[in-house]
Amino acid sequence: MIYTVTHTTIYTYSEPAALSQNELTLFPRPTPTQDCGSSHIAIYPRPSFLDLRTDYYGNQVHSFMVQHSHEKLEITATSEVTTHPLPLPAPGAGPNWEAARDTRTSAAPNPGHAEAVEFAFPSAFITPSPAFAEFARDCFPAGKPLLAGALDLTSKIYEQFEYTKNATTIGTPLEEVMKNRRGVCQDFAHLEIACLRSLGLCARYVSGYLETLPPPGKEKLKGADASHAWLSLFVPTLGWVDLDPTNNMIPGERHITLAWGRDYADVTPVKGMVWGGGTHKLQVSVDVMPKSCQPIGIQ
């Protein structure tokens, strides 16, 4: 699939803002399942400073500053991405979960696992605990293949938690998500990562997009898509395997990877600070348009 992804963020201020400084993680990264074509960032008003760097995890990150008075800040990132998913691994492939856990602490882990180890520890939004380990315990009986257990955990979260917009905020603790059994994709990705790390396993947070297909007979609506989140589990001998607990699936060609890190804090699409501005309104829209759905220009 070939997609054009457009992500627009608009801040409207009640009073003039004197200065705005932001960091953006809005350019998709190349992966084994996707190739990235051209990407473009447009910022209004024009920034006084704009820089692009590659962060510790290999994500592309922009930093910019607007140093003059403005009442509106608009950021639009446009990228072309081609997805070509790999064959799905068999649930029984790879080692059992205890062997995977023990490999993490072995004296000489393989190179891939040595790199994955940092994704087994606490991070800004995820603190492993016995409660999360207990929630996942029935998915990981003795001797069960790691991937099969993770797929069961993915299904358990999908079946027992309700996707509810506005049920949580970025600051909602995972313990509250667990108690109320509702949230959004970010919460479910964080929850599954917390469960896996609580069992001593390595899992990272993935941000991206998911094409939303319209109902049969209906046109695809612009703005119908949104930012999405899932996770990736490290399976020795297989490498990283993506899991989407919001949709109970292994991500495929409709999933577009933007960035990955320990949790949402590492890959926030837009974050920063503003001096002045009073109160503000935020609008975010995402369009994931298949190439065949894009309008044809008339010359």
Short mmCIF file of all heavy atoms in Angstrom, two decimals, residues 6-57:
data_model
loop_
_atom_site.label_atom_id
_atom_site.label_comp_id
_atom_site.label_asym_id
_atom_site.label_seq_id
_atom_site.Cartn_x
_atom_site.Cartn_y
_atom_site.Cartn_z
N THR A 6 -1.07 13.04 6.27
CA THR A 6 -1.04 14.45 6.61
C THR A 6 -1.48 14.62 8.06
O THR A 6 -2.58 14.19 8.43
CB THR A 6 -1.96 15.28 5.70
OG1 THR A 6 -1.60 15.05 4.33
CG2 THR A 6 -1.84 16.77 6.00
N HIS A 7 -0.63 15.19 8.88
CA HIS A 7 -0.90 15.39 10.30
C HIS A 7 -0.84 16.88 10.57
O HIS A 7 0.20 17.51 10.41
CB HIS A 7 0.14 14.66 11.14
CG HIS A 7 -0.12 14.67 12.62
ND1 HIS A 7 0.06 13.56 13.43
CD2 HIS A 7 -0.54 15.65 13.45
CE1 HIS A 7 -0.24 13.87 14.67
NE2 HIS A 7 -0.60 15.15 14.70
N THR A 8 -1.99 17.47 10.96
CA THR A 8 -2.08 18.91 11.19
C THR A 8 -2.42 19.20 12.65
O THR A 8 -3.35 18.61 13.20
CB THR A 8 -3.14 19.55 10.29
OG1 THR A 8 -2.79 19.31 8.92
CG2 THR A 8 -3.24 21.05 10.53
N THR A 9 -1.64 20.08 13.26
CA THR A 9 -1.87 20.52 14.64
C THR A 9 -2.00 22.04 14.63
O THR A 9 -1.14 22.73 14.08
CB THR A 9 -0.69 20.12 15.54
OG1 THR A 9 -0.50 18.70 15.47
CG2 THR A 9 -0.95 20.53 16.99
N ILE A 10 -3.09 22.55 15.24
CA ILE A 10 -3.32 24.00 15.26
C ILE A 10 -3.58 24.45 16.70
O ILE A 10 -4.48 23.92 17.36
CB ILE A 10 -4.52 24.40 14.38
CG1 ILE A 10 -4.29 23.96 12.92
CG2 ILE A 10 -4.75 25.92 14.44
CD1 ILE A 10 -5.50 24.21 12.02
N TYR A 11 -2.78 25.39 17.17
CA TYR A 11 -3.02 26.04 18.45
C TYR A 11 -3.53 27.45 18.17
O TYR A 11 -2.91 28.21 17.42
CB TYR A 11 -1.73 26.15 19.27
CG TYR A 11 -1.19 24.84 19.80
CD1 TYR A 11 -0.21 24.15 19.10
CD2 TYR A 11 -1.65 24.33 21.00
CE1 TYR A 11 0.30 22.94 19.59
CE2 TYR A 11 -1.14 23.13 21.51
CZ TYR A 11 -0.18 22.44 20.79
OH TYR A 11 0.31 21.26 21.28
N THR A 12 -4.68 27.81 18.77
CA THR A 12 -5.21 29.16 18.64
C THR A 12 -5.21 29.79 20.03
O THR A 12 -5.80 29.24 20.96
CB THR A 12 -6.65 29.14 18.08
OG1 THR A 12 -6.65 28.44 16.83
CG2 THR A 12 -7.15 30.56 17.85
N TYR A 13 -4.54 30.94 20.17
CA TYR A 13 -4.36 31.57 21.47
C TYR A 13 -5.36 32.71 21.68
O TYR A 13 -5.72 33.42 20.73
CB TYR A 13 -2.93 32.11 21.60
CG TYR A 13 -1.87 31.06 21.37
CD1 TYR A 13 -1.04 31.11 20.24
CD2 TYR A 13 -1.71 30.00 22.25
CE1 TYR A 13 -0.08 30.14 20.02
CE2 TYR A 13 -0.75 29.03 22.03
CZ TYR A 13 0.06 29.09 20.92
OH TYR A 13 1.01 28.12 20.70
N SER A 14 -5.79 32.89 22.93
CA SER A 14 -6.73 33.97 23.25
C SER A 14 -6.04 35.32 23.28
O SER A 14 -6.68 36.37 23.13
CB SER A 14 -7.41 33.69 24.59
OG SER A 14 -6.46 33.66 25.66
N GLU A 15 -4.73 35.31 23.48
CA GLU A 15 -3.92 36.54 23.49
C GLU A 15 -2.64 36.26 22.70
O GLU A 15 -2.25 35.11 22.54
CB GLU A 15 -3.55 36.94 24.93
CG GLU A 15 -4.75 37.20 25.83
CD GLU A 15 -4.34 37.46 27.27
OE1 GLU A 15 -3.11 37.62 27.51
OE2 GLU A 15 -5.22 37.48 28.14
N PRO A 16 -1.98 37.29 22.23
CA PRO A 16 -0.74 37.07 21.47
C PRO A 16 0.31 36.32 22.30
O PRO A 16 0.52 36.62 23.48
CB PRO A 16 -0.27 38.48 21.12
CG PRO A 16 -1.51 39.31 21.14
CD PRO A 16 -2.36 38.73 22.23
N ALA A 17 0.93 35.35 21.68
CA ALA A 17 2.04 34.63 22.31
C ALA A 17 3.33 35.29 21.87
O ALA A 17 3.52 35.60 20.68
CB ALA A 17 2.02 33.17 21.90
N ALA A 18 4.24 35.49 22.82
CA ALA A 18 5.49 36.17 22.50
C ALA A 18 6.52 35.22 21.90
O ALA A 18 7.33 35.63 21.06
CB ALA A 18 6.05 36.80 23.76
N LEU A 19 6.48 33.96 22.32
CA LEU A 19 7.49 33.01 21.87
C LEU A 19 6.94 31.60 22.02
O LEU A 19 6.24 31.30 22.98
CB LEU A 19 8.78 33.18 22.67
CG LEU A 19 9.99 32.31 22.30
CD1 LEU A 19 11.28 33.06 22.58
CD2 LEU A 19 9.99 31.00 23.10
N SER A 20 7.27 30.75 21.08
CA SER A 20 6.86 29.34 21.14
C SER A 20 8.04 28.46 20.76
O SER A 20 8.72 28.73 19.78
CB SER A 20 5.69 29.08 20.18
OG SER A 20 5.33 27.72 20.18
N GLN A 21 8.28 27.44 21.58
CA GLN A 21 9.39 26.52 21.32
C GLN A 21 8.85 25.10 21.39
O GLN A 21 8.19 24.72 22.37
CB GLN A 21 10.49 26.72 22.37
CG GLN A 21 11.72 25.85 22.14
CD GLN A 21 12.85 26.23 23.07
OE1 GLN A 21 12.96 27.36 23.54
NE2 GLN A 21 13.72 25.26 23.36
N ASN A 22 9.09 24.31 20.34
CA ASN A 22 8.47 22.99 20.25
C ASN A 22 9.43 21.93 19.70
O ASN A 22 10.42 22.25 19.04
CB ASN A 22 7.24 23.05 19.34
CG ASN A 22 6.10 23.83 19.95
OD1 ASN A 22 5.28 23.29 20.68
ND2 ASN A 22 6.04 25.14 19.66
N GLU A 23 9.06 20.68 19.98
CA GLU A 23 9.75 19.51 19.43
C GLU A 23 8.71 18.64 18.76
O GLU A 23 7.65 18.37 19.33
CB GLU A 23 10.47 18.76 20.56
CG GLU A 23 11.36 17.64 20.07
CD GLU A 23 12.18 17.03 21.20
OE1 GLU A 23 13.28 17.55 21.48
OE2 GLU A 23 11.70 16.05 21.80
N LEU A 24 9.01 18.16 17.55
CA LEU A 24 8.05 17.41 16.75
C LEU A 24 8.60 16.04 16.38
O LEU A 24 9.76 15.93 15.95
CB LEU A 24 7.72 18.16 15.45
CG LEU A 24 7.43 19.66 15.54
CD1 LEU A 24 7.27 20.25 14.14
CD2 LEU A 24 6.18 19.90 16.37
N THR A 25 7.79 15.01 16.56
CA THR A 25 8.13 13.67 16.06
C THR A 25 7.02 13.29 15.09
O THR A 25 6.04 12.62 15.46
CB THR A 25 8.25 12.66 17.21
OG1 THR A 25 9.14 13.18 18.21
CG2 THR A 25 8.80 11.33 16.72
N LEU A 26 7.14 13.74 13.86
CA LEU A 26 6.05 13.64 12.88
C LEU A 26 6.46 13.02 11.55
O LEU A 26 5.62 12.86 10.67
CB LEU A 26 5.46 15.04 12.62
CG LEU A 26 4.68 15.67 13.78
CD1 LEU A 26 4.33 17.12 13.45
CD2 LEU A 26 3.42 14.89 14.08
N PHE A 27 7.75 12.67 11.39
CA PHE A 27 8.19 12.03 10.15
C PHE A 27 8.28 10.52 10.36
O PHE A 27 8.97 10.06 11.29
CB PHE A 27 9.57 12.56 9.73
CG PHE A 27 9.53 13.86 8.97
CD1 PHE A 27 8.37 14.59 8.83
CD2 PHE A 27 10.69 14.34 8.37
CE1 PHE A 27 8.35 15.78 8.13
CE2 PHE A 27 10.68 15.53 7.66
CZ PHE A 27 9.50 16.26 7.54
N PRO A 28 7.62 9.71 9.54
CA PRO A 28 7.75 8.25 9.66
C PRO A 28 9.20 7.81 9.47
O PRO A 28 9.98 8.46 8.78
CB PRO A 28 6.87 7.73 8.52
CG PRO A 28 5.91 8.85 8.23
CD PRO A 28 6.69 10.11 8.48
N ARG A 29 9.54 6.68 10.10
CA ARG A 29 10.90 6.15 10.00
C ARG A 29 10.90 4.90 9.14
O ARG A 29 9.92 4.12 9.13
CB ARG A 29 11.45 5.84 11.39
CG ARG A 29 10.66 4.82 12.17
CD ARG A 29 11.29 4.55 13.53
NE ARG A 29 12.59 3.92 13.41
CZ ARG A 29 13.50 3.91 14.39
NH1 ARG A 29 13.24 4.48 15.55
NH2 ARG A 29 14.67 3.33 14.22
N PRO A 30 11.98 4.63 8.40
CA PRO A 30 12.07 3.38 7.65
C PRO A 30 12.09 2.19 8.60
O PRO A 30 12.72 2.24 9.66
CB PRO A 30 13.39 3.52 6.89
CG PRO A 30 13.73 4.97 6.93
CD PRO A 30 13.16 5.50 8.21
N THR A 31 11.41 1.12 8.24
CA THR A 31 11.39 -0.11 9.02
C THR A 31 11.41 -1.29 8.05
O THR A 31 11.27 -1.10 6.84
CB THR A 31 10.12 -0.20 9.90
OG1 THR A 31 9.00 -0.52 9.06
CG2 THR A 31 9.84 1.11 10.64
N PRO A 32 11.54 -2.52 8.58
CA PRO A 32 11.49 -3.67 7.67
C PRO A 32 10.15 -3.80 6.94
O PRO A 32 10.09 -4.49 5.91
CB PRO A 32 11.71 -4.86 8.62
CG PRO A 32 12.52 -4.28 9.74
CD PRO A 32 11.98 -2.90 9.93
N THR A 33 9.09 -3.14 7.44
CA THR A 33 7.78 -3.27 6.81
C THR A 33 7.33 -2.01 6.09
O THR A 33 6.20 -1.96 5.60
CB THR A 33 6.72 -3.66 7.85
OG1 THR A 33 6.62 -2.62 8.84
CG2 THR A 33 7.06 -4.98 8.51
N GLN A 34 8.15 -0.97 6.03
CA GLN A 34 7.73 0.23 5.31
C GLN A 34 8.93 1.00 4.78
O GLN A 34 10.00 1.02 5.37
CB GLN A 34 6.86 1.13 6.19
CG GLN A 34 7.59 1.86 7.30
CD GLN A 34 6.67 2.72 8.15
OE1 GLN A 34 5.49 2.43 8.34
NE2 GLN A 34 7.20 3.80 8.68
N ASP A 35 8.70 1.63 3.63
CA ASP A 35 9.68 2.52 3.02
C ASP A 35 9.11 3.94 3.05
O ASP A 35 7.91 4.14 2.83
CB ASP A 35 9.96 2.13 1.57
CG ASP A 35 10.56 0.74 1.45
OD1 ASP A 35 11.42 0.41 2.29
OD2 ASP A 35 10.16 -0.01 0.54
N CYS A 36 9.96 4.91 3.33
CA CYS A 36 9.51 6.29 3.44
C CYS A 36 9.97 7.10 2.23
O CYS A 36 11.16 7.10 1.90
CB CYS A 36 10.05 6.93 4.73
SG CYS A 36 9.48 6.08 6.21
N GLY A 37 9.02 7.74 1.57
CA GLY A 37 9.34 8.62 0.45
C GLY A 37 9.59 10.02 0.97
O GLY A 37 10.19 10.22 2.02
N SER A 38 9.08 10.99 0.25
CA SER A 38 9.31 12.38 0.63
C SER A 38 8.51 12.75 1.87
O SER A 38 7.41 12.24 2.10
CB SER A 38 8.92 13.31 -0.52
OG SER A 38 7.55 13.17 -0.83
N SER A 39 9.07 13.64 2.71
CA SER A 39 8.38 14.18 3.88
C SER A 39 8.61 15.68 3.91
O SER A 39 9.69 16.16 3.55
CB SER A 39 8.91 13.54 5.17
OG SER A 39 8.55 12.18 5.25
N HIS A 40 7.59 16.40 4.35
CA HIS A 40 7.68 17.86 4.37
C HIS A 40 7.00 18.39 5.62
O HIS A 40 5.94 17.87 6.04
CB HIS A 40 7.01 18.44 3.13
CG HIS A 40 6.97 19.94 3.10
ND1 HIS A 40 8.09 20.71 2.90
CD2 HIS A 40 5.94 20.81 3.28
CE1 HIS A 40 7.76 21.99 2.92
NE2 HIS A 40 6.46 22.09 3.16
N ILE A 41 7.60 19.40 6.23
CA ILE A 41 7.00 20.04 7.40
C ILE A 41 6.72 21.51 7.06
O ILE A 41 7.57 22.19 6.47
CB ILE A 41 7.93 19.92 8.63
CG1 ILE A 41 7.19 20.31 9.91
CG2 ILE A 41 9.19 20.74 8.48
CD1 ILE A 41 6.45 19.19 10.54
N ALA A 42 5.52 21.98 7.38
CA ALA A 42 5.15 23.38 7.16
C ALA A 42 4.71 23.97 8.49
O ALA A 42 3.86 23.38 9.18
CB ALA A 42 4.04 23.49 6.13
N ILE A 43 5.27 25.11 8.87
CA ILE A 43 4.97 25.74 10.15
C ILE A 43 4.58 27.20 9.91
O ILE A 43 5.28 27.93 9.18
CB ILE A 43 6.18 25.68 11.10
CG1 ILE A 43 6.59 24.22 11.34
CG2 ILE A 43 5.87 26.36 12.43
CD1 ILE A 43 7.91 24.07 12.08
N TYR A 44 3.45 27.59 10.47
CA TYR A 44 2.99 28.98 10.40
C TYR A 44 2.73 29.49 11.81
O TYR A 44 2.05 28.82 12.58
CB TYR A 44 1.71 29.09 9.56
CG TYR A 44 1.11 30.46 9.61
CD1 TYR A 44 1.57 31.47 8.76
CD2 TYR A 44 0.12 30.77 10.55
CE1 TYR A 44 1.03 32.76 8.83
CE2 TYR A 44 -0.41 32.05 10.63
CZ TYR A 44 0.04 33.04 9.76
OH TYR A 44 -0.48 34.31 9.85
N PRO A 45 3.26 30.68 12.18
CA PRO A 45 4.13 31.52 11.37
C PRO A 45 5.52 30.90 11.18
O PRO A 45 5.89 29.98 11.90
CB PRO A 45 4.20 32.81 12.18
CG PRO A 45 3.95 32.39 13.58
CD PRO A 45 2.98 31.26 13.51
N ARG A 46 6.24 31.44 10.22
CA ARG A 46 7.54 30.87 9.89
C ARG A 46 8.46 30.92 11.11
O ARG A 46 8.62 31.96 11.74
CB ARG A 46 8.18 31.65 8.74
CG ARG A 46 9.47 31.06 8.24
CD ARG A 46 9.95 31.80 7.01
NE ARG A 46 11.21 31.25 6.51
CZ ARG A 46 11.81 31.67 5.42
NH1 ARG A 46 11.27 32.65 4.71
NH2 ARG A 46 12.94 31.11 5.04
N PRO A 47 9.07 29.80 11.47
CA PRO A 47 9.94 29.78 12.67
C PRO A 47 11.25 30.52 12.45
O PRO A 47 11.77 30.58 11.32
CB PRO A 47 10.17 28.29 12.90
CG PRO A 47 10.01 27.66 11.57
CD PRO A 47 8.96 28.46 10.85
N SER A 48 11.78 31.05 13.53
CA SER A 48 13.08 31.71 13.48
C SER A 48 14.21 30.67 13.43
O SER A 48 15.32 30.96 12.98
CB SER A 48 13.26 32.59 14.72
OG SER A 48 12.17 33.46 14.89
N PHE A 49 13.90 29.45 13.89
CA PHE A 49 14.90 28.39 13.97
C PHE A 49 14.21 27.07 13.73
O PHE A 49 13.12 26.81 14.26
CB PHE A 49 15.55 28.40 15.35
CG PHE A 49 16.37 27.17 15.67
CD1 PHE A 49 17.68 27.07 15.26
CD2 PHE A 49 15.81 26.11 16.37
CE1 PHE A 49 18.43 25.94 15.54
CE2 PHE A 49 16.55 24.98 16.67
CZ PHE A 49 17.87 24.89 16.24
N LEU A 50 14.78 26.21 12.89
CA LEU A 50 14.22 24.88 12.61
C LEU A 50 15.37 23.91 12.37
O LEU A 50 16.25 24.15 11.54
CB LEU A 50 13.31 24.92 11.38
CG LEU A 50 12.72 23.58 10.92
CD1 LEU A 50 11.81 22.98 11.99
CD2 LEU A 50 11.95 23.75 9.61
N ASP A 51 15.36 22.80 13.13
CA ASP A 51 16.45 21.83 13.05
C ASP A 51 15.87 20.42 13.00
O ASP A 51 14.82 20.14 13.61
CB ASP A 51 17.38 21.97 14.26
CG ASP A 51 18.52 20.97 14.23
OD1 ASP A 51 19.31 21.02 13.28
OD2 ASP A 51 18.58 20.11 15.14
N LEU A 52 16.51 19.53 12.27
CA LEU A 52 16.11 18.13 12.19
C LEU A 52 17.27 17.27 12.66
O LEU A 52 18.40 17.41 12.19
CB LEU A 52 15.73 17.75 10.76
CG LEU A 52 15.38 16.27 10.51
CD1 LEU A 52 14.17 15.84 11.33
CD2 LEU A 52 15.15 16.01 9.02
N ARG A 53 16.98 16.36 13.59
CA ARG A 53 18.02 15.46 14.10
C ARG A 53 17.45 14.05 14.23
O ARG A 53 16.23 13.85 14.17
CB ARG A 53 18.50 15.93 15.49
CG ARG A 53 17.43 15.89 16.56
CD ARG A 53 17.93 16.39 17.91
NE ARG A 53 16.86 16.48 18.89
CZ ARG A 53 16.46 15.47 19.66
NH1 ARG A 53 17.06 14.29 19.55
NH2 ARG A 53 15.49 15.63 20.53
N THR A 54 18.33 13.09 14.39
CA THR A 54 17.94 11.71 14.66
C THR A 54 18.18 11.43 16.13
O THR A 54 19.30 11.64 16.62
CB THR A 54 18.74 10.72 13.80
OG1 THR A 54 18.52 11.01 12.43
CG2 THR A 54 18.32 9.28 14.10
N ASP A 55 17.15 11.00 16.87
CA ASP A 55 17.31 10.83 18.31
C ASP A 55 17.95 9.47 18.64
O ASP A 55 18.33 8.70 17.75
CB ASP A 55 15.97 11.03 19.04
CG ASP A 55 14.99 9.87 18.85
OD1 ASP A 55 15.34 8.85 18.20
OD2 ASP A 55 13.85 9.97 19.34
N TYR A 56 18.06 9.19 19.92
CA TYR A 56 18.74 7.98 20.40
C TYR A 56 18.13 6.70 19.83
O TYR A 56 18.83 5.72 19.59
CB TYR A 56 18.66 7.97 21.93
CG TYR A 56 19.18 6.72 22.58
CD1 TYR A 56 20.54 6.49 22.71
CD2 TYR A 56 18.30 5.75 23.09
CE1 TYR A 56 21.03 5.34 23.31
CE2 TYR A 56 18.77 4.60 23.69
CZ TYR A 56 20.13 4.39 23.80
OH TYR A 56 20.60 3.25 24.39
N TYR A 57 16.80 6.72 19.61
CA TYR A 57 16.11 5.51 19.13
C TYR A 57 16.01 5.45 17.61
O TYR A 57 15.39 4.54 17.07
CB TYR A 57 14.71 5.44 19.76
CG TYR A 57 14.77 5.31 21.26
CD1 TYR A 57 14.40 6.38 22.07
CD2 TYR A 57 15.23 4.15 21.87
CE1 TYR A 57 14.47 6.28 23.46
CE2 TYR A 57 15.30 4.05 23.25
CZ TYR A 57 14.93 5.11 24.04
OH TYR A 57 15.01 5.01 25.40
#
